Amino acid sequence: MKRFVQLYQELDSTSGTNDKLDALVRYFSESTDEDKVWCIGLLTGKRPTRPVKTSLMKIWAAELAGIPEWLFDESYYVTGDLGEVLSLLITSEGTSDSKPLNIWMRELEEIKKKTDEEKKAYVTNAWSILNQSERFVFNKLIGGSFRIGISSGSIVNALSKYCGQTPAAVQFALSGKWNPATTSLVDLMEGKDNEISKPYPFFLANGIDFPVENLGPVGDWIIEKKWDGIRGQLIKRKGEIFVWSRGEELITDGFPEFKLLVPHLTNGSVLDGEIICHNESHPLPFQLLQSRINRKSVSKNLLKSAPVSFLAYDIFEYNGEDIRSYPLSERKKILEDLVKKTANSTLLLSEVLLVKDWSDAAAIRAESRKLHCEGLMLKSASSSYQSGRKRGDWWKWKVDPFTIDAVMIYAMQGHGKRANLFTDYTFAVWDNDKLVPFAKAYSGLNNEEIAEVDSFVKKNTIEKFGPVRSVNAELVFEIAFEGIQNSPRHKSGIALRFPRIHRWRKDKLHTEANTIEDLRNLLEQYGK
């Protein structure tokens, strides 16, 4: 545990990519194989489920610290981090412990089966023997909130340097639903775990931030609609179908329609595409697809009301052969032939748009919302299928977002390093002479603007509700969003897709903000 905590501190204390890379390589060189596997799992998001309720941990910590519950809550609001406040309130400076990381993790798995009293004895004993830094990491692990600011690319590069494998081979080895508790380092790095269902790392596009004409001749590019669905990989190996989300979640059970492809789809095929709700003529709104997400079983009514298809736009394994190195133009021909042979409406082919020039493409992009998509994808016809987000070959050319001017009426404290700042805001629009809340957002402001808004909140607070403050309705912000839909759960009756702050409208008075009628007009035009 000591060595893992040291690594955590090294990674948390620097923003330098090379420094993080060096720290990881040192850790892999010095730790046991069992600890390496758990470290890789934790850093790539394979956290174990929470073995102890955080509500119980709060009670136990308050008892040990000898403070009332309200004071614990106030301390939590100040720090904004449960792991940190738990480690600070317990004053014991333990002598530390020599147990390695893998033993701690196995114990955390075991205590899930224990009674609350047994859990209390285990947790409080751990707090007594660990020093403050170790307690902090332990609290993160047991509370199910362990995360650290490091990219998957850095982890892949560090393992590549340590193992002597290519980054692509390492990234493929780490993909899929492997379990640190049951996977050895050798099996992991050789890709033996989940061999049948294992997905490939996704290739991600960058947003185009320059004149599209700079890409050169339009004929060098494959242009498609950017679909508004769930990015996924559809895999058929050894007579079985597997569906993976971009977040490397195995979601096959939530989409039983795809299992109907078993007798039709060629074995040894891995397709990249978008899961969308789709009727016979065109895609359906994303809100319908949301009703299918995170379900282990799907009712007959839901299968009928929210039918899905897999809209394929790439293939990178065919007849069991990895064809990622083939040019996209060749992969497209293979994919088109495969979809035609499959001849099943559950598997569709993403249409390649034929355009004369970039102005022709721009005209199609301008009609995106009417075409039930978010814009265009631009992919180099000669590009291989790579991994991660790399500039140059794949671009997303999204339609401009909707915008609305709104008034900030509530602010909430942030978490972690922003725990002492009000960074999460609730916005409202006018309904006659009343302000109606309709959206929350926390991104879009720079550090200087956040500090300025924080100062305003502290000087203009009307009421306090724990970490939330209601404030004088004076500040106006332009809110950008991707979509709009009806929502009976919201007071305004409206929900936005991906709301964020576009800019601070210091040039506007609060009385000049938009109205609920403006939102309803957008809903009428684009929300269906």
Side-chain angles (χ1 to χ4, degrees), residues 143-164:
S145 61
F146 182 87
R147 58 180 60 86
I148 186 72
I150 187 166
S151 68
S152 59
S154 293
I155 300 164
V156 166
N157 289 334
L159 277 170
S160 172
K161 187 174 180 180
Y162 169 71
C163 296

Side-chain angles (χ1 to χ4, degrees), residues 254-258 275-279 284-293 295 298-309:
F255 300 97
E257 297 96 328
F258 299 141
I275 301 169
I276 58 171
C277 275
H278 195 276
N279 63 18
L284 299 171
F286 183 81
Q287 67 191 81
L288 273 179
L289 186 60
Q290 285 181 308
S291 65
R292 299 287 301 270
I293 297 174
R295 288 182 178 267
V298 185
S299 67
K300 290 182 179 179
N301 287 338
L302 196 54
L303 287 170
K304 185 177 180 180
S305 63
V308 298
S309 296

Side-chain angles (χ1 to χ4, degrees), residues 335-351:
L335 176 64
E336 183 177 0
D337 184 58
L338 178 69
V339 173
K340 284 181 180 178
K341 287 180 179 176
T342 303
N344 190 293
S345 61
T346 307
L347 178 62
L348 303 173
L349 184 68
S350 178
E351 177 191 5

